[in-house]
Amino acid sequence: MASITKESLESKIKSILISEQEIQNAVVRAGEYINALYDGKPILLVSILKGAFIFMADVLRTVTVPCEIDFMVAKSYYSGTVSSGMVQITLDLTHDVKDYHIVILEDIVDTGRTLHDVVGLLKERNPLSLHVITLLDKPDRRVVEYTPDLSLFTIPDLFVIGYGLDYDEYYRNLPYIAEYGE
């Protein structure tokens, strides 16, 4: 394996699309949305790992109503920049969702396949309600019909990294969203 340096990673960042401050302002909006919908109701915030874990942690800190959290792993990218076209659930929830209002916090909706499959799976389990909040939405890439309940940013058809999103497991730690370029 070749040596990976900070400089070699930084050389792949084409441009910053969404700043750290813009993200934090949007995270507050997401928390306000959850607070308004679910005050006094049993809420389960669900993060689709790995990409959405930072987004969920930040949103969770803005939610003022009681809630619980859980995680799923649903993969559709395998060491590349293009969706594989197949969604695989490799880690499922530990909660029985029928007693909860579910809010899925997703990092990015691209082709729509992952969320279409995850939402379908969870709806079969009869939650009290189900909403999806996504940090990033790429509607130009949809191959299945899917629209999140709340999209914080709509972006063009670019491969993006940062704030939990990766390329080959790198770049998740960036505090902003950037375009990745070879």
Side-chain angles (χ1 to χ4, degrees):
M1 176 186 243
S3 176
I4 298 173
T5 65
K6 180 180 176 186
E7 292 76 24
S8 68
L9 289 176
E10 287 176 349
S11 72
K12 304 292 186 187
I13 298 172
K14 287 178 83 171
S15 64
I16 295 174
L17 301 175
I18 304 170
S19 72
E20 182 176 5
Q21 187 59 56
E22 289 171 311
I23 292 169
Q24 292 312 312
N25 292 343
V27 162
V28 169
R29 279 194 357 245
E32 290 170 348
Y33 178 84
I34 294 168
N35 293 333
L37 277 179
Y38 295 110
D39 191 14
K41 298 176 182 173
I43 308 169
L44 181 64
L45 301 180
V46 175
S47 174
I48 308 296
L49 296 176
K50 296 180 188 174
F53 79 102
I54 292 174
F55 178 48
M56 179 168 170
D58 284 351
V59 170
L60 181 62
R61 286 190 285 266
T62 69
V63 172
T64 59
V65 297
C67 62
E68 296 177 45
I69 65 170
D70 209 339
F71 301 91
M72 292 183 84
V73 175
K75 291 182 164 187
S76 66
Y77 285 87
Y78 302 94
S79 294
T81 61
V82 179
S83 175
S84 68
M86 300 190 53
V87 176
Q88 179 184 17
I89 306 293
T90 60
L91 176 71
D92 208 342
L93 300 177
T94 59
H95 286 74
D96 181 355
V97 301
K98 69 178 175 35
D99 298 324
Y100 292 94
H101 295 275
I102 297 175
V103 179
I104 297 174
L105 296 167
E106 179 64 306
D107 55 352
I108 188 167
V109 180
D110 189 323
T111 64
R113 285 184 183 118
T114 301
L115 271 178
H116 179 269
D117 289 0
V118 168
V119 166
L121 173 71
L122 294 179
K123 282 185 175 179
E124 288 175 2
R125 298 176 186 176
N126 300 312
L128 298 173
S129 69
L130 193 148
H131 283 85
V132 174
I133 300 172
T134 188
L135 178 66
L136 304 173
D137 192 0
K138 269 202 255 185
D140 292 344
R141 294 264 305 145
R142 288 295 190 285
V143 296
V144 298
E145 191 171 319
Y146 187 80
T147 304
D149 297 290
L150 178 63
S151 297
L152 298 175
F153 298 98
T154 300
I155 62 170
D157 183 11
L158 303 170
F159 190 83
V160 292
I161 53 173
Y163 197 69
L165 290 100
D166 73 301
Y167 173 75
D168 207 17
E169 294 299 326
Y170 291 100
Y171 301 101
R172 293 185 195 279
N173 57 320
L174 298 176
Y176 50 80
I177 302 294
E179 180 183 1
Y180 177 85
E182 288 290 334

